[in-house]
Amino acid sequence: MRIENHIHIRHIMLYYFEKGWNAAQSFYDLNELFGEGTISKSQVKRWFKMSKSGDTNLADEKRRGRPSNFDDQAILTPVKEDESLTTRMLAEDFNVDHPTIVRCLKKLGKVWKLAGRVSHKLSNNNKA
């Protein structure tokens, strides 16, 4: 199971920390509960280290660089209308760099399959 909202995992880690668990116990329990790959051991150690220092803020830290103001949903219409558009063509049309389009399509669950983009989740009709 993949957790989209990481704040929930952080709440659970804070709970384990307050309960007296160590990072290794928390790592194994979280990955057993939500599935392997939910969180890495180094991430759990980093959050436990922050909690030990008194930092119990669970929000994401600001990242370097300019935040993206690209509207991910705006790309869906042209992709649905013309599935032959390449990511480079879309980047040119939207006046953004190529990796922005690639990240956007991935976030929207679109991948390139032979003749066009399809959803990651295929229906039974598409699987045949």
Side-chain angles (χ1 to χ4, degrees), residues 39-56:
I39 192 165
S40 70
K41 194 177 281 191
S42 61
Q43 287 175 306
V44 176
K45 286 181 180 181
R46 184 170 47 90
W47 280 98
F48 266 67
K49 185 176 180 180
M50 288 171 51
S51 296
K52 283 180 186 175
S53 70
D55 183 4
T56 56

Side-chain angles (χ1 to χ4, degrees), residues 56-73:
T56 56
N57 181 11
L58 302 175
D60 284 330
E61 296 174 353
K62 288 188 177 183
R63 295 182 176 203
R64 293 180 9 204
R66 183 177 58 170
S68 175
N69 58 357
F70 185 73
D71 179 17
D72 296 341
Q73 297 299 320

Side-chain angles (χ1 to χ4, degrees), residues 33 56 78 92:
L33 180 62
T56 56
E92 189 175 306

Side-chain angles (χ1 to χ4, degrees), residues 13 16-17 21-31 44 48:
M13 282 191 291
Y16 288 158
F17 174 78
W21 286 29
N22 64 33
Q25 288 173 302
S26 302
F27 164 74
Y28 289 115
D29 192 65
L30 286 167
N31 281 287
V44 176
F48 266 67

Side-chain angles (χ1 to χ4, degrees), residues 4-108:
E4 294 300 322
N5 192 345
H6 297 286
I7 196 101
H8 299 306
I9 297 293
R10 294 173 190 161
H11 278 105
I12 295 168
M13 282 191 291
L14 181 60
Y15 170 77
Y16 288 158
F17 174 78
E18 295 291 336
K19 200 170 178 184
W21 286 29
N22 64 33
Q25 288 173 302
S26 302
F27 164 74
Y28 289 115
D29 192 65
L30 286 167
N31 281 287
E32 182 181 329
L33 180 62
F34 295 110
E36 190 174 327
T38 299
I39 192 165
S40 70
K41 194 177 281 191
S42 61
Q43 287 175 306
V44 176
K45 286 181 180 181
R46 184 170 47 90
W47 280 98
F48 266 67
K49 185 176 180 180
M50 288 171 51
S51 296
K52 283 180 186 175
S53 70
D55 183 4
T56 56
N57 181 11
L58 302 175
D60 284 330
E61 296 174 353
K62 288 188 177 183
R63 295 182 176 203
R64 293 180 9 204
R66 183 177 58 170
S68 175
N69 58 357
F70 185 73
D71 179 17
D72 296 341
Q73 297 299 320
I75 201 170
L76 284 177
T77 304
V79 167
K80 286 179 182 176
E81 289 175 0
D82 184 2
E83 291 181 351
S84 68
L85 289 172
T86 66
T87 53
R88 295 204 186 276
M89 293 165 78
L90 289 167
E92 189 175 306
D93 290 347
F94 283 94
N95 197 28
V96 296
D97 62 344
H98 180 251
T100 300
I101 296 295
V102 173
R103 278 191 304 272
C104 172
L105 289 171
K106 186 174 181 179
K107 188 171 20 171
L108 293 171

